[in-house]
Amino acid sequence: MRKTFRKPFSTITIPLLKPHHRLDRNVEATFLLSRFKKQCPRSHFASSPRWVFSFASQLPPPEWVQPFNNLSDLVKDPKNLQTSPWVSQILNLLDSSPEMEQNLSTYCHKFLIKLSPNFVAFLLKSNKISTRPDVAFRFFLWAGKQQGYAHVLECYVSLIEVLSVSSDFGRIKSVFADFKSREFFINVNAANSLIRSFGNSGMVEELIWVWRRMKENGIEPSLYTYNFLMNALVNSMYIESAERVFEVMEGGNVKPDAVTYNTMIKGYCKLGKVQKAMEKFREMEVGNVEPDKITYMTLIQACYTCSDFSTCLGLYHEMEEKKLEIPSHAYSLAIGGLCKEGKSPEAFTLFENMIRKGSKPNVAIYTALIDSCVKNGKLEEAMRTFDRMQQDGFAPDEVTFGVIVNGLCKNGRLEEAMQWFEYCRVNNVPINSIFYSSLIDGLGKAGRVDEAEELFHGMVEQGCARDSYCYNALIDALAKSGKIDEALVLFKRMEDDGCDQTVYTYTILITGLFNEHRNEEALKVWDTMIDKGITPTAASFRALSTGLCLSGKVARACKILDELAPMGVVLETAFEDMINVLCKAGRIEQACKLADGVVDRGREVPGKVRSLLINALRKSGNADLAMKLMHSKIGIGYERTGSVKRRVKFRILIGN
């Protein structure tokens, strides 16, 4: 482009600089003046300085720059598009400094340019800005202040997408309010982007506005639009709304695909409705939609979380049959499920199968296998697995060390456990509360209560907070060593420290108080537990009933058991436990009276009670009485007294 100045003495041509020249201000001025001098008579140039200033005042207006050199290439062949040199120059100025806006204004003024809306939208989509929401927002505001400028639809859409990554709700709402006032015609691409952005941010109200505007503009949602909407509703826990969208898809032209089903399955799993998720999974087969890796992984994780390990394993086998890629996490969950069910051999078989197929194990898998061996009493196998883990190049973490220490403590190998404790401490391996509770419990069971107390009190100094497990372990150690008063003090301190007093804590104290013949205090502890709304377990009632039965208060135990029924607590083995305790203590008559009371009140059928009593007598060493009961009609037979027919009482066993 050339511009001609016509003067009486001559014609002077001054070429205008193009954007790609990128000359600095001094070079530009020198260039222009040199060209001017060549075409202007020296005498006129020397005598007319104001003429030079007149030239400067006639610079052209700023030019709108586009993101590509030649927009016609966009129509011909998109592959031939060349990014404008201005793009990299402006991106370099977006440095998040306090002077960023001033630097942009200075640069654009210097080169006589303005950034077009297409240019702004292009930069907002660039990788350099897409992860910097603060820079993107400032650049958007600066661009909007250019003379004669107005943001286009893509500018708003791109900025909202950037802001949604950081969940900057305040700015998103502000930008979207301005967006709505512009009344743009929303196209499919913009709608998809907005729905995805609002969905990721959990902004359902804004999402629904976009959806309605699409309908008003007569834009038919695509499969991607539906899937973005479904995902947004599920992420925001609007599961019922997602179900309605799914039904609309089933009845319309756009049918659900694997992504749609996966989204719905994810929603059910998040609600804990694993059964409904499984039903939706089976519907995929009916609808000829093939489940993918994500489908199976979502369900396997959900089943593992709710301890449905058999279904978890079944889904893994389905993946194997369909020759789907099985991630290491799927192996981890399947192996972990087998380990939790105590099926160590099956878990090891799956582990070896995993390695044979070229999938690498991880620390979590090794730890699960070691823990399973420990819980099954196979400490040596656990130690061999621990050694193999290190040989395979996996460094044990604090959970692995905790499992090893727990196994050593349970098997009485306390010195080795303490050595590992010292190793972790010296090598800066984090030592968690589970690690400490295992050691405290092991020391307590070995009668080394003083050492257990020292370890307990040193936890805080080592930066490890005490939890209920640590308190329970030491309270148990104190109670079993006859230090019940110290256990009660610790129990009170536990409450002051904000640790939950669990049903196990109360069970320990009740047992300890009864062992010290402090029966009324034990009953008060039981009442406190009930008053706090802690649900009794079979073990806690066994502790209470054992103490009451051995102190001759069988009726009191039965009364407390009756009080639990309205609370919804049904302890099926309660009477069996009480009969066993009485027989073991040699209180056969009381056991027989209890058996008669159970039958008379219709709590159990006579035949079952009779079997319970026979087994209790046999286990307590009263084989003769057990044989006598077995060969008689006591409990199940009847005798006549005149016209009255009565069941033969169990107490006759002692009378005869």
Side-chain angles (χ1 to χ4, degrees):
M1 176 179 180
R2 304 175 73 86
K3 185 164 180 136
T4 302
F5 292 86
R6 298 190 180 276
K7 295 292 179 183
F9 57 85
S10 65
T11 299
I12 304 171
T13 304
I14 302 294
L16 295 181
L17 296 180
K18 293 187 177 180
H20 60 270
H21 288 160
R22 289 178 288 176
L23 303 173
D24 70 21
R25 182 171 296 175
N26 293 331
V27 175
E28 179 183 0
T30 303
F31 173 78
L32 290 173
L33 286 173
S34 66
R35 293 297 300 272
F36 175 72
K37 286 179 181 180
K38 288 179 181 179
Q39 301 181 57
C40 179
R42 183 178 298 275
S43 59
H44 191 84
F45 177 76
S47 62
S48 306
R50 283 181 296 180
W51 194 91
V52 176
F53 293 108
S54 175
F55 153 74
S57 66
Q58 295 186 39
L59 290 174
E63 178 183 354
W64 292 104
V65 294
Q66 300 295 336
F68 302 103
N69 283 338
N70 188 351
L71 292 179
S72 63
D73 290 340
L74 185 63
V75 179
K76 294 177 182 177
D77 187 358
K79 294 180 181 178
N80 294 331
L81 285 175
Q82 293 183 351
T83 306
S84 166
W86 295 115
V87 171
S88 59
Q89 293 297 314
I90 299 298
L91 281 174
N92 289 335
L93 295 174
L94 301 178
D95 55 5
S96 73
S97 66
E99 300 82 17
M100 186 181 82
E101 289 84 353
Q102 181 60 42
N103 292 341
L104 284 167
S105 298
T106 301
Y107 186 86
C108 291
H109 178 73
K110 173 181 175 180
F111 290 106
L112 299 175
I113 62 170
K114 290 193 290 186
L115 309 186
S116 68
N118 289 334
F119 190 95
V120 173
F122 182 80
L123 259 62
L124 287 171
K125 294 175 184 176
S126 68
N127 294 331
K128 192 169 182 180
I129 294 186
S130 60
T131 56
R132 301 162 67 194
D134 187 60
V135 171
F137 185 69
R138 289 172 61 186
F139 175 59
F140 178 85
L141 293 181
W142 174 87
K145 295 176 183 177
Q146 296 179 103
Q147 187 176 4
Y149 177 93
H151 285 303
V152 295
L153 173 68
E154 287 74 15
C155 295
Y156 286 96
V157 172
S158 299
L159 179 61
I160 290 172
E161 187 170 342
V162 173
L163 294 176
S164 69
V165 174
S166 62
S167 299
D168 193 340
F169 305 117
R171 283 177 172 172
I172 294 175
K173 287 181 179 292
S174 172
V175 172
F176 190 60
D178 187 27
F179 168 83
K180 289 193 291 185
S181 68
R182 306 277 177 167
E183 297 186 353
F184 290 114
F185 180 88
I186 300 178
N187 56 43
V188 174
N189 291 334
N192 286 344
S193 178
L194 290 171
I195 287 173
R196 182 174 62 248
S197 299
F198 291 139
N200 291 337
S201 302
M203 302 173 71
V204 178
E205 184 179 338
E206 288 77 5
L207 184 149
I208 298 300
W209 186 92
V210 175
W211 184 260
R212 287 174 179 165
R213 181 54 63 93
M214 283 182 66
K215 293 293 186 182
E216 290 170 4
N217 292 342
I219 299 173
E220 280 298 319
S222 66
L223 178 60
Y224 292 106
T225 315
Y226 275 115
N227 283 341
F228 288 144
L229 177 62
M230 287 278 294
N231 191 56
L233 292 171
V234 166
N235 287 341
S236 303
M237 298 306 291
Y238 285 81
I239 308 300
E240 291 183 3
S241 298
E243 286 177 324
R244 288 196 291 272
V245 174
F246 191 89
E247 290 170 2
V248 169
M249 292 181 70
E250 286 184 309
N253 296 325
V254 182
K255 300 297 181 183
D257 66 351
V259 175
T260 322
Y261 275 99
N262 289 347
T263 304
M264 204 67 248
I265 288 170
K266 178 179 72 172
Y268 287 134
C269 290
K270 287 176 73 173
L271 277 181
K273 297 181 177 180
V274 181
Q275 188 59 43
K276 290 200 74 171
M278 290 298 296
E279 290 172 6
K280 190 62 69 177
F281 169 64
R282 297 305 174 194
E283 283 179 18
M284 295 179 76
E285 297 178 2
V286 179
N288 293 320
V289 178
E290 192 66 31
D292 58 15
K293 180 176 66 175
I294 296 173
T295 318
Y296 282 100
M297 285 305 302
T298 305
L299 289 168
I300 289 173
Q301 181 68 65
C303 291
Y304 183 87
T305 302
C306 64
S307 300
D308 186 0
F309 303 124
S310 58
T311 304
C312 180
L313 190 63
L315 289 166
Y316 158 78
H317 286 308
E318 277 192 39
M319 287 186 76
E320 201 171 35
E321 289 170 6
K322 292 183 177 182
K323 301 189 183 309
L324 291 172
E325 177 194 351
I326 302 178
S328 59
H329 187 55
Y331 281 109
S332 181
L333 294 173
I335 291 171
L338 288 168
C339 289
K340 286 182 179 295
E341 287 188 328
K343 298 178 179 178
S344 290
E346 292 90 336
F348 273 99
T349 300
L350 185 54
F351 174 71
E352 297 298 343
N353 186 43
M354 168 189 179
I355 294 175
R356 188 168 55 255
K357 289 188 175 182
S359 197
K360 292 184 178 180
N362 53 38
V363 175
I365 291 175
Y366 275 108
T367 303
L369 290 169
I370 294 168
D371 186 47
S372 178
C373 291
V374 167
K375 288 177 179 175
N376 289 334
K378 299 177 181 179
L379 183 60
E380 294 306 323
E381 189 173 353
M383 297 306 294
R384 284 195 297 272
T385 307
F386 180 67
D387 292 337
R388 177 178 175 179
M389 172 184 179
Q390 294 174 296
Q391 290 168 5
D392 289 346
F394 294 95
D397 59 12
E398 64 271 21
V399 180
T400 316
F401 281 116
V403 169
I404 290 293
V405 167
N406 181 49
L408 292 169
C409 289
K410 287 186 181 300
N411 285 270
R413 293 161 62 171
L414 285 171
E415 297 308 321
E416 291 179 67
M418 292 301 293
Q419 287 172 7
W420 280 115
F421 171 72
E422 186 64 21
Y423 171 86
C424 292
R425 193 180 63 80
V426 171
N427 289 279
N428 296 319
V429 176
I431 302 175
N432 56 30
S433 57
I434 298 175
F435 201 120
Y436 274 103
S437 64
S438 297
L439 285 170
I440 293 168
D441 185 60
L443 290 167
K445 284 181 168 57
R448 297 160 63 173
V449 182
D450 292 340
E451 292 178 67
E453 286 188 273
E454 184 180 347
L455 200 61
F456 178 84
H457 294 304
M459 284 180 65
V460 176
E461 296 175 8
Q462 297 297 323
C464 183
R466 305 183 188 104
D467 62 6
S468 298
Y469 293 100
C470 297
Y471 270 102
N472 288 343
L474 186 56
I475 289 172
D476 186 50
L478 292 169
K480 286 179 179 175
S481 63
K483 298 180 179 181
I484 190 64
D485 288 321
E486 291 183 42
L488 288 168
V489 170
L490 199 62
F491 174 74
K492 179 64 172 65
R493 180 177 168 183
M494 182 180 187
E495 186 176 27
D496 296 339
D497 284 354
C499 285
D500 291 333
Q501 296 166 326
T502 65
V503 65
Y504 180 62
T505 319
Y506 284 97
T507 303
I508 293 168
L509 289 174
I510 290 168
T511 303
L513 288 166
F514 272 121
N515 288 341
E516 295 295 317
H517 306 292
R518 294 161 66 170
N519 299 356
E520 291 306 315
E521 287 182 69
L523 286 167
K524 285 181 182 178
V525 171
W526 173 270
D527 290 338
T528 301
M529 180 181 76
I530 299 298
D531 292 341
K532 285 190 174 182
I534 298 173
T535 304
T537 61
S540 62
F541 182 76
R542 190 182 304 117
L544 179 74
S545 61
T546 297
L548 290 173
C549 287
L550 293 178
S551 60
K553 298 179 180 178
V554 179
R556 182 78 176 270
C558 291
K559 182 182 177 184
I560 292 173
L561 183 61
D562 289 340
E563 291 171 353
L564 293 178
M567 298 166 56
V569 179
V570 179
L571 306 174
E572 296 180 356
T573 63
F575 290 113
E576 181 179 352
D577 294 335
M578 292 165 69
I579 289 172
N580 281 326
V581 167
L582 291 169
C583 289
K584 189 174 181 180
R587 301 183 180 184
I588 309 301
E589 186 175 356
Q590 286 183 304
C592 290
K593 286 182 180 179
L594 177 59
D596 284 328
V598 171
V599 174
D600 289 343
R601 298 184 65 177
R603 289 171 170 166
E604 293 288 354
V605 295
K608 182 177 179 180
V609 177
R610 174 187 166 91
S611 298
L612 292 176
L613 191 52
I614 290 171
N615 286 330
L617 289 168
R618 181 178 55 80
K619 289 177 183 177
S620 63
N622 291 292
D624 292 341
L625 285 176
M627 290 295 292
K628 180 181 178 180
L629 179 57
M630 187 170 65
H631 292 295
S632 69
K633 290 189 176 182
I634 294 175
I636 57 172
Y638 293 89
E639 59 183 11
R640 286 186 176 274
T641 304
S643 60
V644 179
K645 183 179 179 183
R646 294 188 179 89
R647 181 183 56 80
V648 179
K649 299 287 186 179
F650 285 105
R651 67 193 69 180
I652 293 177
L653 182 66
I654 302 301
N656 292 343

